[in-house]
Amino acid sequence: MKILFTKTIMRINQVIMLSLLFVFSTHCTILMAKVGDNFTQGNFKFTVLSENGDQGTVSVAAASDEISGTLNIPLFVRNKAVCYKVTSIADEAFFKCSKLTGNLVIPTGITRIGSLAFSNCNNLDGILILPNTLKVIDGYAFNECSSLSGTLTL
């Protein structure tokens, strides 16, 4: 009888372990983002560019062309268990976001501004500040942003 009881306990432990393994592997799969996946937080839509464990990089864009006021692009954003560094402003990221006003300060860490990123943001009327980390400004990134001022140093 003692042997039967021990085998039953061992079988229950196996079932529990297999159940936990299934739940854990499903949970981890859900948390892992793939390159190209999108998520939205506040006024911004982020696209995953890379991910390595609990860190990664993303590009940023407006979640809607109704975004208004001064634009404050974050340096980092957390989604689930991953902390992403914002490194790029997507193509057409803020295209026709005509309610954006004031200064346009691109944060340090941004390496690329995509094509047409701020095109037709004609109410941006402050200074334009670009970081020294910026390597690429694609075509027409600031098309029709004629009210921006400041010194462009390359």
Side-chain angles (χ1 to χ4, degrees):
M1 182 149 188
K2 186 176 182 180
I3 293 173
L4 182 60
F5 180 74
T6 304
K7 285 184 178 181
T8 303
I9 295 296
M10 287 177 58
R11 182 69 181 140
I12 291 171
N13 283 339
Q14 285 177 339
V15 169
I16 290 171
M17 291 301 288
L18 287 173
S19 298
L20 288 173
L21 182 62
F22 175 76
V23 168
F24 180 73
S25 64
T26 303
H27 181 67
C28 286
T29 302
I30 290 170
L31 289 178
M32 297 290 290
K34 297 178 197 157
V35 171
D37 282 357
N38 295 313
F39 61 93
T40 301
Q41 288 186 7
N43 290 323
F44 299 110
K45 179 180 86 172
F46 299 94
T47 302
V48 175
L49 302 174
S50 70
E51 186 175 304
N52 186 10
D54 62 352
Q55 297 179 352
T57 60
V58 290
S59 66
V60 64
S64 155
D65 63 3
E66 294 298 312
I67 189 171
S68 62
T70 302
L71 185 62
N72 293 306
I73 297 171
L75 299 172
F76 295 92
V77 63
R78 182 171 288 284
N79 187 43
K80 298 181 183 166
V82 182
C83 181
Y84 294 99
K85 182 177 182 181
V86 180
T87 60
S88 177
I89 298 173
D91 293 345
E92 300 183 19
F94 300 95
F95 181 69
K96 292 188 178 180
C97 291
S98 59
K99 295 179 182 176
L100 289 174
T101 59
N103 297 332
L104 180 55
V105 179
I106 307 299
T108 298
I110 298 291
T111 58
R112 176 183 172 269
I113 298 175
S115 64
L116 301 166
F118 295 97
S119 183
N120 292 70
C121 293
N122 46 11
N123 286 320
L124 285 169
D125 57 1
I127 59 172
L128 170 62
I129 300 175
L130 301 173
N132 60 1
T133 56
L134 189 62
K135 295 183 182 353
V136 176
I137 301 174
D138 287 333
Y140 302 99
F142 299 99
N143 186 48
E144 300 296 325
C145 294
S146 58
S147 296
L148 282 172
S149 62
T151 303
L152 178 60
T153 305
L154 300 174

